[in-house]
């Protein structure tokens, strides 16, 4: 099989015309006759010609591509954000390139390099859990490319951000559990180095104080929030001399892991321990018992992130500053916390 890429020159040689004429014909230039256009397009099809979009982007200074970076694609939240983002961008004539970091800083850096090499017109990203060094994100800004962050971002970058109020979400959850009679509420959170999880931890701590409940460092755990983390950390909480009567988990996947262990040990949910997750993943309404969770309004976040990028399209010079679009979250109360 011949893997050599067909070029404009190959088409020109077949028809004995100039490469400039071929290019104009493929772009439906009015200066080229209908007969020539038809012949060029027929030969291009026969030779399986594919336009070099990267070269075109370099010539025009515009690729009509937007890079998207997500921590993972197997999450309903991120897939919903991307789906709604793409809908808005497609209508405006843009296509998206989706990359995932798998929560790895190293992979995230490689993704950014690849997107910059592809000459994307903008990047919309949610940071990996491992990311502390912001130099690669600063590189995006230094290239004059609009950078929009969603769900996970850092104020220090001074760019647009779209997400929910994570601090207030924790208050909402603790308020609900206290209202259900809980007095010893544990929190399986993410790592404080990630802004959204730090905000959820701060919200939890302040809400515990607000309700005059005794603070207990044993009840606050940082983790990677995977399903396995949920299983491991609920085991740690159950091993305490004084067990919690409620557990707020900062991810539905980790909450599912916790629920599995509780059921395996014959601990009744919600009678013995109440459980709340975060993210409103589809499975939260399908498991038994159904899991109370926070809805993050993923569809709206996706649309707003795309619209924010489009606001920069006509600007010759991109001058970004910290501009937060913060949405109110919603607590979906289900069987696990009633």
């Amino acid at each position: 099989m011949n893997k050599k890429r067909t070029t404009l020159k190959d088409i020109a040689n077949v028809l004995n015309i100039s490469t400039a004429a071929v290019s104009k014909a493929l772009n439906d230039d009015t200066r080229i006759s209908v007969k020539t256009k038809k012949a060029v397009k027929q030969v291009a099809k026969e030779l399986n010609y594919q336009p070099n979009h990267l070269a075109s982007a370099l010539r025009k200074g515009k690729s009509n591509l937007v890079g998207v970076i997500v921590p993972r694609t197997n999450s309903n939240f991120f897939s919903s954000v991307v789906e709604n983002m793409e809908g808005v961008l497609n209508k405006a004539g843009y296509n998206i390139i989706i990359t995932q970091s798998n929560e790895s800083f190293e992979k995230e850096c490689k993704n950014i390099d690849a997107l910059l090499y592809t000459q994307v017109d903008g990047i919309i990203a949610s940071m990996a859990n491992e990311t502390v060094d912001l130099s690669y994100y600063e590189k995006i800004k230094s290239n004059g490319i609009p950078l929009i962050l969603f769900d996970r971002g850092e104020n220090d970058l001074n760019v647009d951000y779209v997400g929910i109020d994570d601090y207030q979400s924790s208050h909402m959850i603790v308020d609900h559990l206290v209202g259900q009679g809980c007095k010893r509420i544990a929190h399986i959170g993410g790592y404080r180095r990630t802004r959204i999880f730090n905000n959820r931890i701060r919200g939890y701590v302040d809400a515990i104080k607000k309700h005059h409940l005794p603070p207990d460092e044993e009840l606050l755990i940082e983790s990677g929030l995977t399903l396995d983390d949920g299983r491991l950390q609920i085991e740690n909480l159950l091993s305490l001399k004084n067990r919690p009567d409620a557990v707020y988990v900062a991810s539905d996947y980790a909450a599912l892991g916790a629920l599995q262990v509780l059921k395996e040990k014959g601990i009744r949910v919600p009678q013995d321990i109440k459980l709340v997750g975060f993210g409103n993943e589809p499975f939260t309404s399908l498991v038994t018992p159904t899991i109370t969770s926070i809805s993050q309004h993923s569809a709206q976040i996706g649309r707003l992130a795309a619209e924010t990028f489009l606001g920069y399209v006509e600007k010759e010079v991109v001058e970004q500053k910290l501009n937060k679009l913060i949405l109110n979250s919603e607590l979906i109360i289900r069987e696990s916390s009633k």
Side-chain angles (χ1 to χ4, degrees), residues 226-254:
T226 63
L227 186 143
D228 287 340
D229 286 323
R231 292 183 61 88
L232 173 64
Q233 301 308 338
I234 195 69
E235 291 271 14
N236 291 335
L237 290 171
L238 293 176
S239 69
L240 296 177
K241 186 176 180 180
N242 187 8
R243 288 180 174 179
D245 55 11
V247 182
Y248 153 36
V249 191
S251 157
D252 284 336
Y253 288 95

Side-chain angles (χ1 to χ4, degrees), residues 4-55:
K4 181 178 178 293
R5 187 186 184 103
T6 300
T7 65
L8 294 179
K9 188 175 181 180
D10 294 328
I11 301 171
N13 287 340
V14 171
L15 296 170
N16 197 26
I17 59 178
S18 69
T19 54
V22 172
S23 177
K24 291 173 183 175
L26 290 173
N27 287 288
D28 284 320
D29 194 303
T30 54
R31 291 169 290 181
I32 302 298
S33 70
V34 174
K35 181 180 178 181
T36 300
K37 287 179 186 177
K38 186 176 180 181
V40 168
K41 290 177 182 179
Q42 180 60 37
V43 172
K45 183 178 180 182
E46 290 171 358
L47 296 180
N48 195 28
Y49 170 74
Q50 297 294 327
N52 188 331
H53 291 293
L54 179 56

Side-chain angles (χ1 to χ4, degrees), residues 213-227:
L213 297 177
D216 188 336
E217 289 186 5
E218 290 185 319
L219 297 180
L220 175 57
I221 300 173
E222 294 181 42
S223 75
L225 293 176
T226 63
L227 186 143

